[in-house]
Amino acid sequence: MTTWHQIEMTFKEYRMVSFKPLDPEFPIEQQLSIDAGPVVLVNLFTVDPVDQDALVEAWKSDAQWMKKQPGYISTQLHKAIGDGSMYLNYAVWDSVADFRAAFSNPEFQQQLSHYPSSAVTAPHLFEKVAVPNCCTA
């Protein structure tokens, strides 16, 4: 299995998108070792305003590749309202294992070099929570 350290080294080698933990107490590299599912990847992107089109194109290429992977369910990209250059992606996967396999795939990692150098991403995995009389898990 590919480790998060190996993935980080690949990012540094290709000068890809920078990573920042959404939750420094339990970052994505620790989450990838958990057996859970289904899961939702929430990924917050920031980018320089001039690089917004490049970010969307890079994300589109990634999304089209991910759609073909086992365990992929769906994804959606959102842009912050107003003049900001912040984007939020969420992607639904059958399991952490499926997401980890797709994300650590060398073919996918090579595609990450298409992101603009100003891009910073903060990925985190979530599970549904059942709340009585409100929503189901």
Side-chain angles (χ1 to χ4, degrees):
M1 171 183 5
T2 301
T3 67
W4 183 255
H5 177 71
Q6 290 168 316
I7 294 169
E8 283 184 312
M9 295 309 293
T10 301
F11 293 141
K12 289 176 184 173
E13 178 182 343
Y14 292 104
R15 297 177 192 204
M16 301 172 192
V17 61
S18 297
F19 277 75
K20 175 178 101 173
L22 193 58
D23 178 0
E25 298 297 318
F26 203 75
I28 188 86
E29 58 265 26
Q30 289 178 278
Q31 292 186 304
L32 290 175
S33 66
I34 294 173
D35 184 23
V39 294
V40 175
L41 168 72
V42 172
N43 200 354
L44 187 63
F45 292 95
T46 55
V47 66
D48 288 344
V50 297
D51 290 334
Q52 290 184 71
D53 289 343
L55 175 89
V56 171
E57 283 303 309
W59 180 88
K60 178 182 175 183
S61 176
D62 287 353
Q64 290 173 334
W65 187 87
M66 288 290 193
K67 288 172 75 169
K68 300 173 189 170
Q69 304 312 302
Y72 167 89
I73 296 173
S74 67
T75 194
Q76 180 66 52
L77 184 66
H78 301 266
K79 182 184 183 304
I81 60 174
D83 293 332
S85 55
M86 184 177 289
Y87 291 79
L88 180 129
N89 169 59
Y90 67 83
V92 183
W93 288 85
D94 279 335
S95 68
V96 172
D98 288 329
F99 171 73
R100 182 178 54 241
F103 190 77
S104 63
N105 184 301
E107 184 180 345
F108 174 73
Q109 290 184 28
Q110 288 177 350
Q111 288 185 203
L112 295 176
S113 64
H114 299 294
Y115 279 86
S117 61
S118 68
V120 177
T121 181
H124 205 75
L125 294 168
F126 294 86
E127 294 180 287
K128 286 183 175 183
V129 175
V131 179
N133 300 316
C134 187
C135 56
T136 60

